[in-house]
Amino acid sequence: MMIPRIHSRTAARSLPGSRILVCALAAVFGVCLLAGLSFQASAQESDAIAAAPSEPRRFVIRFLTESEFPPFNYYDDEGVLSGFNVDLARAICLEAGAACDIKVRPWEELLIGLRRGDADAVIAAHRVSATSLAEVDFSDSYFYTPGRFAARKGDAEHATTPDELDGVTIGVAKGTAHEAFVKAFYRDSRIVLFENPELAREALQQAKVDLVFDDAISLAFWLNGSLSRQCCEFRGDAFLEPKYFGDGLAVALPRNDPQIKSLINTALKRVRQSGRFQELVERYFPVRIY
């Protein structure tokens, strides 16, 4: 609350004798009253803070992951469990002030183990979807898997809007969300379907298509790897429409444990604020995917 300033000289000119004294006493009393109310409000706020439930605390957070999905989770050349998800789990534990227990299970056993109580959380690049939400709960999303275009280096630059790609040949793997996306929004482009993303990329290398549209993560590793022979590069921006590419990756959590969800979400937020999250992204994804 702001207390208006009392212009004493102006007041003294307009108030005779005893009225000045009465008003001065009233002003002092008013200030004291305000101070008392302020003190009382502060005391009430302190009591409310003391009475509020403290942030959940776990001494150990038990994670499950799997080991065959680089760069998210895998064994390195020395047999050490590594990857973006593994390091993110450790960063979450650090921010939560808890020890980390990370165990490896086959992919198909991860959510079963979580529901059975073998772990507090699963961090293995699970996508948030209606199907998975019927089985488990999820943290806030921590990673998104956008679709992106790639083109040969040196080819004419095109903005990747539907109007600009009118008549342009786009290669895409059939039966994928990426096929559904280009068919919905790039109806005037020439869409060529391939059995898998690898064949679409080979067609791009051989100039059989002008662009390919695919998952940005796998495209990034192809572009930066030996198989591409440095032929190509990303074009345009990333596409993140949830209808086609989902609501991102998140930590899978038990449906009946709101405390662990609160703890994980708070820790994730702190990992981002500290800059640690961006460090992990740059370490495991050397080519920008967004």
Side-chain angles (χ1 to χ4, degrees), residues 113-150:
L114 179 67
R115 294 197 304 271
R116 194 167 52 207
D118 296 346
D120 301 306
V122 172
I123 187 163
H126 278 89
R127 295 175 186 267
V128 180
S129 67
T131 302
S132 54
L133 281 168
E135 300 182 60
V136 296
D137 199 358
F138 283 97
S139 70
D140 295 337
S141 296
Y142 63 84
F143 205 88
Y144 293 89
T145 54
R148 289 201 70 173
F149 286 102

PDB file of all heavy atoms in Angstrom, residues 113-150:
ATOM      1  N   GLY A 113       6.657 -52.096 -15.713  1.00  0.00           N
ATOM      2  CA  GLY A 113       7.424 -51.972 -14.473  1.00  0.00           C
ATOM      3  C   GLY A 113       7.004 -50.755 -13.660  1.00  0.00           C
ATOM      4  O   GLY A 113       6.945 -50.795 -12.431  1.00  0.00           O
ATOM      5  N   LEU A 114       6.686 -49.652 -14.344  1.00  0.00           N
ATOM      6  CA  LEU A 114       6.242 -48.448 -13.651  1.00  0.00           C
ATOM      7  C   LEU A 114       4.915 -48.698 -12.941  1.00  0.00           C
ATOM      8  O   LEU A 114       4.752 -48.341 -11.767  1.00  0.00           O
ATOM      9  CB  LEU A 114       6.096 -47.302 -14.650  1.00  0.00           C
ATOM     10  CG  LEU A 114       5.608 -45.973 -14.082  1.00  0.00           C
ATOM     11  CD1 LEU A 114       6.651 -45.370 -13.138  1.00  0.00           C
ATOM     12  CD2 LEU A 114       5.294 -44.982 -15.208  1.00  0.00           C
ATOM     13  N   ARG A 115       3.980 -49.307 -13.636  1.00  0.00           N
ATOM     14  CA  ARG A 115       2.666 -49.570 -13.034  1.00  0.00           C
ATOM     15  C   ARG A 115       2.772 -50.573 -11.891  1.00  0.00           C
ATOM     16  O   ARG A 115       1.990 -50.528 -10.937  1.00  0.00           O
ATOM     17  CB  ARG A 115       1.689 -50.082 -14.093  1.00  0.00           C
ATOM     18  CG  ARG A 115       1.362 -49.051 -15.164  1.00  0.00           C
ATOM     19  CD  ARG A 115       0.106 -49.444 -15.926  1.00  0.00           C
ATOM     20  NE  ARG A 115       0.205 -50.762 -16.523  1.00  0.00           N
ATOM     21  CZ  ARG A 115       0.695 -50.996 -17.733  1.00  0.00           C
ATOM     22  NH1 ARG A 115       1.124 -49.987 -18.484  1.00  0.00           N
ATOM     23  NH2 ARG A 115       0.748 -52.219 -18.210  1.00  0.00           N
ATOM     24  N   ARG A 116       3.760 -51.449 -11.968  1.00  0.00           N
ATOM     25  CA  ARG A 116       3.952 -52.453 -10.923  1.00  0.00           C
ATOM     26  C   ARG A 116       4.652 -51.887  -9.702  1.00  0.00           C
ATOM     27  O   ARG A 116       4.718 -52.518  -8.643  1.00  0.00           O
ATOM     28  CB  ARG A 116       4.756 -53.617 -11.515  1.00  0.00           C
ATOM     29  CG  ARG A 116       4.759 -54.887 -10.686  1.00  0.00           C
ATOM     30  CD  ARG A 116       5.293 -56.036 -11.511  1.00  0.00           C
ATOM     31  NE  ARG A 116       6.583 -55.706 -12.123  1.00  0.00           N
ATOM     32  CZ  ARG A 116       7.020 -56.261 -13.262  1.00  0.00           C
ATOM     33  NH1 ARG A 116       6.284 -57.133 -13.916  1.00  0.00           N
ATOM     34  NH2 ARG A 116       8.194 -55.922 -13.744  1.00  0.00           N
ATOM     35  N   GLY A 117       5.199 -50.677  -9.821  1.00  0.00           N
ATOM     36  CA  GLY A 117       5.879 -50.059  -8.694  1.00  0.00           C
ATOM     37  C   GLY A 117       7.361 -50.321  -8.640  1.00  0.00           C
ATOM     38  O   GLY A 117       8.003 -50.065  -7.612  1.00  0.00           O
ATOM     39  N   ASP A 118       7.943 -50.800  -9.751  1.00  0.00           N
ATOM     40  CA  ASP A 118       9.383 -51.065  -9.777  1.00  0.00           C
ATOM     41  C   ASP A 118      10.204 -49.776  -9.860  1.00  0.00           C
ATOM     42  O   ASP A 118      11.418 -49.805  -9.660  1.00  0.00           O
ATOM     43  CB  ASP A 118       9.745 -51.936 -10.982  1.00  0.00           C
ATOM     44  CG  ASP A 118       9.103 -53.321 -10.896  1.00  0.00           C
ATOM     45  OD1 ASP A 118       8.628 -53.679  -9.804  1.00  0.00           O
ATOM     46  OD2 ASP A 118       9.072 -54.020 -11.923  1.00  0.00           O
ATOM     47  N   ALA A 119       9.558 -48.670 -10.205  1.00  0.00           N
ATOM     48  CA  ALA A 119      10.271 -47.398 -10.362  1.00  0.00           C
ATOM     49  C   ALA A 119       9.323 -46.245 -10.058  1.00  0.00           C
ATOM     50  O   ALA A 119       8.099 -46.407 -10.034  1.00  0.00           O
ATOM     51  CB  ALA A 119      10.826 -47.273 -11.770  1.00  0.00           C
ATOM     52  N   ASP A 120       9.934 -45.083  -9.844  1.00  0.00           N
ATOM     53  CA  ASP A 120       9.156 -43.860  -9.636  1.00  0.00           C
ATOM     54  C   ASP A 120       8.836 -43.172 -10.952  1.00  0.00           C
ATOM     55  O   ASP A 120       7.872 -42.405 -11.034  1.00  0.00           O
ATOM     56  CB  ASP A 120       9.944 -42.882  -8.756  1.00  0.00           C
ATOM     57  CG  ASP A 120      10.286 -43.468  -7.403  1.00  0.00           C
ATOM     58  OD1 ASP A 120       9.366 -43.918  -6.714  1.00  0.00           O
ATOM     59  OD2 ASP A 120      11.485 -43.479  -7.057  1.00  0.00           O
ATOM     60  N   ALA A 121       9.660 -43.424 -11.977  1.00  0.00           N
ATOM     61  CA  ALA A 121       9.507 -42.708 -13.243  1.00  0.00           C
ATOM     62  C   ALA A 121      10.214 -43.479 -14.349  1.00  0.00           C
ATOM     63  O   ALA A 121      11.134 -44.268 -14.085  1.00  0.00           O
ATOM     64  CB  ALA A 121      10.085 -41.305 -13.129  1.00  0.00           C
ATOM     65  N   VAL A 122       9.770 -43.242 -15.573  1.00  0.00           N
ATOM     66  CA  VAL A 122      10.417 -43.821 -16.759  1.00  0.00           C
ATOM     67  C   VAL A 122      10.839 -42.676 -17.662  1.00  0.00           C
ATOM     68  O   VAL A 122      10.020 -41.820 -18.022  1.00  0.00           O
ATOM     69  CB  VAL A 122       9.459 -44.761 -17.530  1.00  0.00           C
ATOM     70  CG1 VAL A 122      10.087 -45.183 -18.861  1.00  0.00           C
ATOM     71  CG2 VAL A 122       9.125 -45.987 -16.692  1.00  0.00           C
ATOM     72  N   ILE A 123      12.122 -42.655 -18.041  1.00  0.00           N
ATOM     73  CA  ILE A 123      12.621 -41.621 -18.948  1.00  0.00           C
ATOM     74  C   ILE A 123      13.286 -42.317 -20.129  1.00  0.00           C
ATOM     75  O   ILE A 123      14.443 -42.715 -20.080  1.00  0.00           O
ATOM     76  CB  ILE A 123      13.566 -40.632 -18.212  1.00  0.00           C
ATOM     77  CG1 ILE A 123      13.931 -39.472 -19.117  1.00  0.00           C
ATOM     78  CG2 ILE A 123      14.770 -41.339 -17.614  1.00  0.00           C
ATOM     79  CD1 ILE A 123      14.502 -38.275 -18.380  1.00  0.00           C
ATOM     80  N   ALA A 124      12.496 -42.479 -21.187  1.00  0.00           N
ATOM     81  CA  ALA A 124      12.976 -43.242 -22.338  1.00  0.00           C
ATOM     82  C   ALA A 124      12.385 -42.728 -23.641  1.00  0.00           C
ATOM     83  O   ALA A 124      12.153 -43.489 -24.566  1.00  0.00           O
ATOM     84  CB  ALA A 124      12.637 -44.724 -22.151  1.00  0.00           C
ATOM     85  N   ALA A 125      12.118 -41.425 -23.700  1.00  0.00           N
ATOM     86  CA  ALA A 125      11.585 -40.786 -24.912  1.00  0.00           C
ATOM     87  C   ALA A 125      10.179 -41.265 -25.241  1.00  0.00           C
ATOM     88  O   ALA A 125       9.844 -41.471 -26.408  1.00  0.00           O
ATOM     89  CB  ALA A 125      12.529 -40.987 -26.094  1.00  0.00           C
ATOM     90  N   HIS A 126       9.343 -41.413 -24.225  1.00  0.00           N
ATOM     91  CA  HIS A 126       7.939 -41.734 -24.476  1.00  0.00           C
ATOM     92  C   HIS A 126       7.204 -40.490 -24.975  1.00  0.00           C
ATOM     93  O   HIS A 126       7.367 -39.403 -24.427  1.00  0.00           O
ATOM     94  CB  HIS A 126       7.259 -42.244 -23.202  1.00  0.00           C
ATOM     95  CG  HIS A 126       7.516 -43.688 -22.928  1.00  0.00           C
ATOM     96  ND1 HIS A 126       8.590 -44.129 -22.192  1.00  0.00           N
ATOM     97  CD2 HIS A 126       6.832 -44.803 -23.311  1.00  0.00           C
ATOM     98  CE1 HIS A 126       8.573 -45.457 -22.124  1.00  0.00           C
ATOM     99  NE2 HIS A 126       7.522 -45.890 -22.790  1.00  0.00           N
ATOM    100  N   ARG A 127       6.378 -40.679 -25.976  1.00  0.00           N
ATOM    101  CA  ARG A 127       5.555 -39.592 -26.488  1.00  0.00           C
ATOM    102  C   ARG A 127       4.263 -39.506 -25.688  1.00  0.00           C
ATOM    103  O   ARG A 127       3.655 -40.528 -25.354  1.00  0.00           O
ATOM    104  CB  ARG A 127       5.220 -39.810 -27.964  1.00  0.00           C
ATOM    105  CG  ARG A 127       6.425 -39.779 -28.886  1.00  0.00           C
ATOM    106  CD  ARG A 127       6.007 -40.117 -30.317  1.00  0.00           C
ATOM    107  NE  ARG A 127       7.165 -40.231 -31.191  1.00  0.00           N
ATOM    108  CZ  ARG A 127       7.656 -39.244 -31.922  1.00  0.00           C
ATOM    109  NH1 ARG A 127       7.093 -38.050 -31.866  1.00  0.00           N
ATOM    110  NH2 ARG A 127       8.698 -39.434 -32.699  1.00  0.00           N
ATOM    111  N   VAL A 128       3.837 -38.293 -25.418  1.00  0.00           N
ATOM    112  CA  VAL A 128       2.555 -38.088 -24.747  1.00  0.00           C
ATOM    113  C   VAL A 128       1.453 -38.300 -25.786  1.00  0.00           C
ATOM    114  O   VAL A 128       1.415 -37.618 -26.813  1.00  0.00           O
ATOM    115  CB  VAL A 128       2.454 -36.664 -24.158  1.00  0.00           C
ATOM    116  CG1 VAL A 128       1.113 -36.474 -23.472  1.00  0.00           C
ATOM    117  CG2 VAL A 128       3.604 -36.419 -23.180  1.00  0.00           C
ATOM    118  N   SER A 129       0.584 -39.248 -25.531  1.00  0.00           N
ATOM    119  CA  SER A 129      -0.500 -39.546 -26.468  1.00  0.00           C
ATOM    120  C   SER A 129      -1.720 -40.010 -25.683  1.00  0.00           C
ATOM    121  O   SER A 129      -1.626 -40.371 -24.502  1.00  0.00           O
ATOM    122  CB  SER A 129      -0.082 -40.635 -27.459  1.00  0.00           C
ATOM    123  OG  SER A 129       0.093 -41.871 -26.782  1.00  0.00           O
ATOM    124  N   ALA A 130      -2.854 -40.012 -26.342  1.00  0.00           N
ATOM    125  CA  ALA A 130      -4.087 -40.465 -25.682  1.00  0.00           C
ATOM    126  C   ALA A 130      -3.961 -41.909 -25.241  1.00  0.00           C
ATOM    127  O   ALA A 130      -4.437 -42.295 -24.162  1.00  0.00           O
ATOM    128  CB  ALA A 130      -5.269 -40.291 -26.636  1.00  0.00           C
ATOM    129  N   THR A 131      -3.292 -42.720 -26.052  1.00  0.00           N
ATOM    130  CA  THR A 131      -3.133 -44.140 -25.714  1.00  0.00           C
ATOM    131  C   THR A 131      -2.287 -44.314 -24.464  1.00  0.00           C
ATOM    132  O   THR A 131      -2.655 -45.053 -23.541  1.00  0.00           O
ATOM    133  CB  THR A 131      -2.475 -44.893 -26.886  1.00  0.00           C
ATOM    134  OG1 THR A 131      -3.284 -44.733 -28.057  1.00  0.00           O
ATOM    135  CG2 THR A 131      -2.327 -46.370 -26.564  1.00  0.00           C
ATOM    136  N   SER A 132      -1.146 -43.621 -24.407  1.00  0.00           N
ATOM    137  CA  SER A 132      -0.263 -43.774 -23.247  1.00  0.00           C
ATOM    138  C   SER A 132      -0.861 -43.137 -21.998  1.00  0.00           C
ATOM    139  O   SER A 132      -0.644 -43.621 -20.883  1.00  0.00           O
ATOM    140  CB  SER A 132       1.116 -43.174 -23.548  1.00  0.00           C
ATOM    141  OG  SER A 132       1.001 -41.842 -23.987  1.00  0.00           O
ATOM    142  N   LEU A 133      -1.645 -42.062 -22.168  1.00  0.00           N
ATOM    143  CA  LEU A 133      -2.275 -41.418 -21.010  1.00  0.00           C
ATOM    144  C   LEU A 133      -3.319 -42.315 -20.354  1.00  0.00           C
ATOM    145  O   LEU A 133      -3.683 -42.106 -19.199  1.00  0.00           O
ATOM    146  CB  LEU A 133      -2.913 -40.094 -21.428  1.00  0.00           C
ATOM    147  CG  LEU A 133      -1.952 -38.914 -21.585  1.00  0.00           C
ATOM    148  CD1 LEU A 133      -2.642 -37.749 -22.275  1.00  0.00           C
ATOM    149  CD2 LEU A 133      -1.401 -38.477 -20.230  1.00  0.00           C
ATOM    150  N   ALA A 134      -3.807 -43.294 -21.077  1.00  0.00           N
ATOM    151  CA  ALA A 134      -4.744 -44.248 -20.485  1.00  0.00           C
ATOM    152  C   ALA A 134      -4.032 -45.193 -19.523  1.00  0.00           C
ATOM    153  O   ALA A 134      -4.675 -45.816 -18.661  1.00  0.00           O
ATOM    154  CB  ALA A 134      -5.442 -45.051 -21.586  1.00  0.00           C
ATOM    155  N   GLU A 135      -2.698 -45.299 -19.656  1.00  0.00           N
ATOM    156  CA  GLU A 135      -1.937 -46.221 -18.814  1.00  0.00           C
ATOM    157  C   GLU A 135      -1.181 -45.525 -17.692  1.00  0.00           C
ATOM    158  O   GLU A 135      -1.107 -46.034 -16.570  1.00  0.00           O
ATOM    159  CB  GLU A 135      -0.919 -46.990 -19.677  1.00  0.00           C
ATOM    160  CG  GLU A 135      -1.507 -47.822 -20.784  1.00  0.00           C
ATOM    161  CD  GLU A 135      -0.408 -48.559 -21.533  1.00  0.00           C
ATOM    162  OE1 GLU A 135       0.306 -49.362 -20.901  1.00  0.00           O
ATOM    163  OE2 GLU A 135      -0.247 -48.312 -22.747  1.00  0.00           O
ATOM    164  N   VAL A 136      -0.594 -44.360 -18.003  1.00  0.00           N
ATOM    165  CA  VAL A 136       0.284 -43.690 -17.035  1.00  0.00           C
ATOM    166  C   VAL A 136       0.041 -42.183 -17.093  1.00  0.00           C
ATOM    167  O   VAL A 136      -0.638 -41.680 -17.989  1.00  0.00           O
ATOM    168  CB  VAL A 136       1.777 -43.979 -17.331  1.00  0.00           C
ATOM    169  CG1 VAL A 136       2.087 -45.463 -17.176  1.00  0.00           C
ATOM    170  CG2 VAL A 136       2.152 -43.494 -18.741  1.00  0.00           C
ATOM    171  N   ASP A 137       0.630 -41.475 -16.142  1.00  0.00           N
ATOM    172  CA  ASP A 137       0.625 -40.016 -16.167  1.00  0.00           C
ATOM    173  C   ASP A 137       1.954 -39.552 -16.762  1.00  0.00           C
ATOM    174  O   ASP A 137       2.874 -40.359 -16.969  1.00  0.00           O
ATOM    175  CB  ASP A 137       0.446 -39.482 -14.748  1.00  0.00           C
ATOM    176  CG  ASP A 137      -0.028 -38.033 -14.711  1.00  0.00           C
ATOM    177  OD1 ASP A 137      -0.179 -37.438 -15.796  1.00  0.00           O
ATOM    178  OD2 ASP A 137      -0.225 -37.506 -13.603  1.00  0.00           O
ATOM    179  N   PHE A 138       2.070 -38.246 -17.026  1.00  0.00           N
ATOM    180  CA  PHE A 138       3.306 -37.715 -17.594  1.00  0.00           C
ATOM    181  C   PHE A 138       3.683 -36.407 -16.924  1.00  0.00           C
ATOM    182  O   PHE A 138       2.828 -35.653 -16.457  1.00  0.00           O
ATOM    183  CB  PHE A 138       3.167 -37.478 -19.101  1.00  0.00           C
ATOM    184  CG  PHE A 138       3.239 -38.723 -19.925  1.00  0.00           C
ATOM    185  CD1 PHE A 138       2.076 -39.362 -20.350  1.00  0.00           C
ATOM    186  CD2 PHE A 138       4.457 -39.283 -20.276  1.00  0.00           C
ATOM    187  CE1 PHE A 138       2.131 -40.509 -21.108  1.00  0.00           C
ATOM    188  CE2 PHE A 138       4.531 -40.437 -21.028  1.00  0.00           C
ATOM    189  CZ  PHE A 138       3.360 -41.059 -21.453  1.00  0.00           C
ATOM    190  N   SER A 139       4.975 -36.142 -16.937  1.00  0.00           N
ATOM    191  CA  SER A 139       5.491 -34.836 -16.527  1.00  0.00           C
ATOM    192  C   SER A 139       5.193 -33.820 -17.618  1.00  0.00           C
ATOM    193  O   SER A 139       4.619 -34.138 -18.666  1.00  0.00           O
ATOM    194  CB  SER A 139       7.010 -34.914 -16.323  1.00  0.00           C
ATOM    195  OG  SER A 139       7.660 -35.076 -17.581  1.00  0.00           O
ATOM    196  N   ASP A 140       5.603 -32.588 -17.397  1.00  0.00           N
ATOM    197  CA  ASP A 140       5.599 -31.613 -18.480  1.00  0.00           C
ATOM    198  C   ASP A 140       6.510 -32.129 -19.600  1.00  0.00           C
ATOM    199  O   ASP A 140       7.510 -32.813 -19.337  1.00  0.00           O
ATOM    200  CB  ASP A 140       6.132 -30.257 -17.995  1.00  0.00           C
ATOM    201  CG  ASP A 140       5.228 -29.626 -16.942  1.00  0.00           C
ATOM    202  OD1 ASP A 140       4.023 -29.972 -16.902  1.00  0.00           O
ATOM    203  OD2 ASP A 140       5.733 -28.797 -16.155  1.00  0.00           O
ATOM    204  N   SER A 141       6.175 -31.788 -20.833  1.00  0.00           N
ATOM    205  CA  SER A 141       7.012 -32.228 -21.958  1.00  0.00           C
ATOM    206  C   SER A 141       8.392 -31.567 -21.865  1.00  0.00           C
ATOM    207  O   SER A 141       8.509 -30.402 -21.511  1.00  0.00           O
ATOM    208  CB  SER A 141       6.355 -31.857 -23.284  1.00  0.00           C
ATOM    209  OG  SER A 141       5.131 -32.554 -23.439  1.00  0.00           O
ATOM    210  N   TYR A 142       9.423 -32.336 -22.166  1.00  0.00           N
ATOM    211  CA  TYR A 142      10.779 -31.787 -22.100  1.00  0.00           C
ATOM    212  C   TYR A 142      11.461 -31.738 -23.464  1.00  0.00           C
ATOM    213  O   TYR A 142      12.530 -31.129 -23.618  1.00  0.00           O
ATOM    214  CB  TYR A 142      11.656 -32.567 -21.115  1.00  0.00           C
ATOM    215  CG  TYR A 142      11.902 -34.022 -21.476  1.00  0.00           C
ATOM    216  CD1 TYR A 142      12.910 -34.392 -22.355  1.00  0.00           C
ATOM    217  CD2 TYR A 142      11.151 -35.038 -20.900  1.00  0.00           C
ATOM    218  CE1 TYR A 142      13.154 -35.717 -22.675  1.00  0.00           C
ATOM    219  CE2 TYR A 142      11.375 -36.375 -21.201  1.00  0.00           C
ATOM    220  CZ  TYR A 142      12.375 -36.712 -22.092  1.00  0.00           C
ATOM    221  OH  TYR A 142      12.601 -38.030 -22.410  1.00  0.00           O
ATOM    222  N   PHE A 143      10.862 -32.368 -24.467  1.00  0.00           N
ATOM    223  CA  PHE A 143      11.501 -32.400 -25.788  1.00  0.00           C
ATOM    224  C   PHE A 143      10.418 -32.590 -26.832  1.00  0.00           C
ATOM    225  O   PHE A 143       9.428 -33.283 -26.581  1.00  0.00           O
ATOM    226  CB  PHE A 143      12.502 -33.561 -25.862  1.00  0.00           C
ATOM    227  CG  PHE A 143      13.607 -33.373 -26.868  1.00  0.00           C
ATOM    228  CD1 PHE A 143      14.774 -32.726 -26.507  1.00  0.00           C
ATOM    229  CD2 PHE A 143      13.479 -33.841 -28.168  1.00  0.00           C
ATOM    230  CE1 PHE A 143      15.798 -32.539 -27.425  1.00  0.00           C
ATOM    231  CE2 PHE A 143      14.496 -33.659 -29.085  1.00  0.00           C
ATOM    232  CZ  PHE A 143      15.667 -33.016 -28.714  1.00  0.00           C
ATOM    233  N   TYR A 144      10.601 -31.964 -27.989  1.00  0.00           N
ATOM    234  CA  TYR A 144       9.635 -32.094 -29.063  1.00  0.00           C
ATOM    235  C   TYR A 144      10.319 -32.676 -30.295  1.00  0.00           C
ATOM    236  O   TYR A 144      11.517 -32.491 -30.501  1.00  0.00           O
ATOM    237  CB  TYR A 144       9.011 -30.733 -29.392  1.00  0.00           C
ATOM    238  CG  TYR A 144       8.147 -30.223 -28.264  1.00  0.00           C
ATOM    239  CD1 TYR A 144       8.708 -29.454 -27.239  1.00  0.00           C
ATOM    240  CD2 TYR A 144       6.801 -30.543 -28.195  1.00  0.00           C
ATOM    241  CE1 TYR A 144       7.933 -29.008 -26.180  1.00  0.00           C
ATOM    242  CE2 TYR A 144       6.014 -30.099 -27.139  1.00  0.00           C
ATOM    243  CZ  TYR A 144       6.586 -29.336 -26.137  1.00  0.00           C
ATOM    244  OH  TYR A 144       5.823 -28.909 -25.082  1.00  0.00           O
ATOM    245  N   THR A 145       9.550 -33.400 -31.107  1.00  0.00           N
ATOM    246  CA  THR A 145      10.106 -34.062 -32.283  1.00  0.00           C
ATOM    247  C   THR A 145       9.440 -33.492 -33.529  1.00  0.00           C
ATOM    248  O   THR A 145       8.488 -34.069 -34.052  1.00  0.00           O
ATOM    249  CB  THR A 145       9.884 -35.581 -32.198  1.00  0.00           C
ATOM    250  OG1 THR A 145       8.480 -35.835 -31.994  1.00  0.00           O
ATOM    251  CG2 THR A 145      10.660 -36.174 -31.037  1.00  0.00           C
ATOM    252  N   PRO A 146       9.922 -32.363 -34.000  1.00  0.00           N
ATOM    253  CA  PRO A 146       9.268 -31.687 -35.125  1.00  0.00           C
ATOM    254  C   PRO A 146       9.538 -32.370 -36.459  1.00  0.00           C
ATOM    255  O   PRO A 146      10.457 -33.183 -36.605  1.00  0.00           O
ATOM    256  CB  PRO A 146       9.903 -30.297 -35.088  1.00  0.00           C
ATOM    257  CG  PRO A 146      11.257 -30.531 -34.518  1.00  0.00           C
ATOM    258  CD  PRO A 146      11.081 -31.627 -33.507  1.00  0.00           C
ATOM    259  N   GLY A 147       8.738 -32.006 -37.440  1.00  0.00           N
ATOM    260  CA  GLY A 147       9.031 -32.383 -38.811  1.00  0.00           C
ATOM    261  C   GLY A 147       9.789 -31.256 -39.483  1.00  0.00           C
ATOM    262  O   GLY A 147       9.570 -30.083 -39.186  1.00  0.00           O
ATOM    263  N   ARG A 148      10.704 -31.624 -40.405  1.00  0.00           N
ATOM    264  CA  ARG A 148      11.469 -30.598 -41.123  1.00  0.00           C
ATOM    265  C   ARG A 148      11.756 -31.030 -42.552  1.00  0.00           C
ATOM    266  O   ARG A 148      11.802 -32.233 -42.871  1.00  0.00           O
ATOM    267  CB  ARG A 148      12.795 -30.289 -40.415  1.00  0.00           C
ATOM    268  CG  ARG A 148      12.622 -29.540 -39.118  1.00  0.00           C
ATOM    269  CD  ARG A 148      13.883 -28.826 -38.700  1.00  0.00           C
ATOM    270  NE  ARG A 148      14.187 -27.691 -39.590  1.00  0.00           N
ATOM    271  CZ  ARG A 148      15.167 -26.819 -39.345  1.00  0.00           C
ATOM    272  NH1 ARG A 148      15.920 -26.953 -38.259  1.00  0.00           N
ATOM    273  NH2 ARG A 148      15.387 -25.808 -40.160  1.00  0.00           N
ATOM    274  N   PHE A 149      11.980 -30.038 -43.392  1.00  0.00           N
ATOM    275  CA  PHE A 149      12.400 -30.276 -44.764  1.00  0.00           C
ATOM    276  C   PHE A 149      13.926 -30.273 -44.846  1.00  0.00           C
ATOM    277  O   PHE A 149      14.597 -29.527 -44.124  1.00  0.00           O
ATOM    278  CB  PHE A 149      11.864 -29.188 -45.692  1.00  0.00           C
ATOM    279  CG  PHE A 149      10.397 -29.281 -45.986  1.00  0.00           C
ATOM    280  CD1 PHE A 149       9.495 -28.454 -45.338  1.00  0.00           C
ATOM    281  CD2 PHE A 149       9.926 -30.197 -46.924  1.00  0.00           C
ATOM    282  CE1 PHE A 149       8.140 -28.532 -45.615  1.00  0.00           C
ATOM    283  CE2 PHE A 149       8.567 -30.277 -47.210  1.00  0.00           C
ATOM    284  CZ  PHE A 149       7.667 -29.446 -46.554  1.00  0.00           C
ATOM    285  N   ALA A 150      14.442 -31.070 -45.771  1.00  0.00           N
ATOM    286  CA  ALA A 150      15.866 -31.030 -46.117  1.00  0.00           C
ATOM    287  C   ALA A 150      15.984 -30.954 -47.629  1.00  0.00           C
ATOM    288  O   ALA A 150      15.146 -31.496 -48.367  1.00  0.00           O
ATOM    289  CB  ALA A 150      16.598 -32.252 -45.585  1.00  0.00           C
TER     290      ALA A 150
END
